[in-house]
Amino acid sequence: MSSNSSIQNVLRDVLDLCELQMQLLSVDAQAAKRKLTTAVIFSVVSMALAGSALTVLMIGLGFVLGEFSELSTGASLSIVAVVFFAVVGVFLFIAAKAVQAAAQAMSETKSELAENVRWLKATMLSPSTSARNQLRRESFQTHGSSQRYYTPDPVSPLSQR
């Protein structure tokens, strides 16, 4: 069996494995989608109810502030609204930082995957020119080519003078 056909067999096996992995990912994604749909429905309902309750709480706090201070009802409601907008601003800032961190984490994974695919492609399609295999060139000698051994000694016409 020639070296080329064994590389093709390994490449075919790797591609079959990738295909099976994609099918598994598809099946798992469909199951996760079904479970996630239920979670999203209950989350949306609870957020709507929490938003309604928060609005009532804010109005109640505005009226309480108006009764226990010399502020008018409108001024106390406005103060409560400003305080809650500040809290929302802090939460949005924290959320933006979390999204940036998640995006950075995914970019590292994406670049690693791209690098691994490039290495696999180079190794499978042309093992003699793969950077990793340059150190093991003797493993990929072709018939009729001469043996080359690399030495740490400088090989230059200038070093012979």
Side-chain angles (χ1 to χ4, degrees), residues 33-51:
K33 179 182 166 188
R34 284 190 299 272
K35 292 177 182 178
L36 187 62
T37 302
T38 304
V40 166
I41 289 170
F42 281 104
S43 296
V44 167
V45 170
S46 9
M47 286 176 22
L49 292 174

Side-chain angles (χ1 to χ4, degrees), residues 87-149:
V87 170
V88 166
V90 169
F91 285 164
L92 286 175
F93 178 76
I94 293 170
K97 289 295 182 183
V99 166
Q100 282 180 336
Q104 288 173 351
M106 290 305 294
S107 68
E108 182 179 344
T109 301
K110 181 180 166 186
S111 66
E112 274 296 316
L113 178 63
E115 184 177 334
N116 289 339
V117 167
R118 280 192 301 272
W119 170 83
L120 184 62
K121 181 179 175 183
T123 302
M124 290 292 127
L125 297 179
S126 183
S128 62
T129 60
S130 173
R132 180 176 181 268
N133 294 329
Q134 289 294 322
L135 300 174
R136 304 183 300 138
R137 185 173 294 276
E138 63 274 2
S139 300
F140 299 99
Q141 287 296 317
T142 56
H143 299 291
S145 66
S146 63
Q147 282 274 20
R148 294 183 191 169
Y149 294 100

